[in-house]
Amino acid sequence: MDGKITIKYLQNYIKSKDYEPELKQQYFLKLAEEVGELARAIHKDLPANSSDDIKGTIDEEIWDVIYYTLAIANCYDIDVEQVIPKKEAINNKKYNNGRIVFEENR
């Protein structure tokens, strides 16, 4: 492995270990809970002190938010890697930000 993790890999990884589309509302409730925990960690300014000790930190809560976001995407068969460039095109048009170009296949 080259040390890089793609969104596609993460979606497949999460789907292989935690895929129950009938629980999509519970995944959403977990996402909301994790966003609250992230807000608390940010409010308390709790970054990880080391790369190995992330318990209760912003680092840990960011992953939890990503995890449940991708679990929800899996429930709806959404390929997030396909959605990102489409949404970025909408954002760039809406906010007229042509200074930085989103590069696909990166």
Side-chain angles (χ1 to χ4, degrees), residues 47-71:
N49 293 326
S50 74
S51 61
D52 295 330
D53 182 21
I54 66 165
K55 187 70 179 152
T57 66
I58 296 167
D59 307 53
E60 178 185 27
E61 302 310 336
I62 289 280
W63 166 241
D64 290 342
V65 168
I66 292 168
Y67 181 99
Y68 285 105
T69 299
L70 294 177

Side-chain angles (χ1 to χ4, degrees), residues 1 4-18 62-63 66-71 73-74 80-81:
M1 184 177 213
K4 296 182 178 158
I5 300 172
T6 65
I7 294 170
K8 183 172 291 308
Y9 171 80
L10 289 175
Q11 276 196 263
N12 289 333
Y13 172 75
I14 292 166
K15 193 172 194 174
S16 71
K17 67 182 266 184
D18 189 5
I62 289 280
W63 166 241
I66 292 168
Y67 181 99
Y68 285 105
T69 299
L70 294 177
N74 285 340
V80 175
E81 283 190 349

Side-chain angles (χ1 to χ4, degrees), residues 24 27-28 31 67-78:
K24 58 187 160 210
Y27 288 139
F28 176 75
L31 174 60
Y67 181 99
Y68 285 105
T69 299
L70 294 177
I72 292 167
N74 285 340
C75 290
Y76 290 96
D77 293 321
I78 296 169

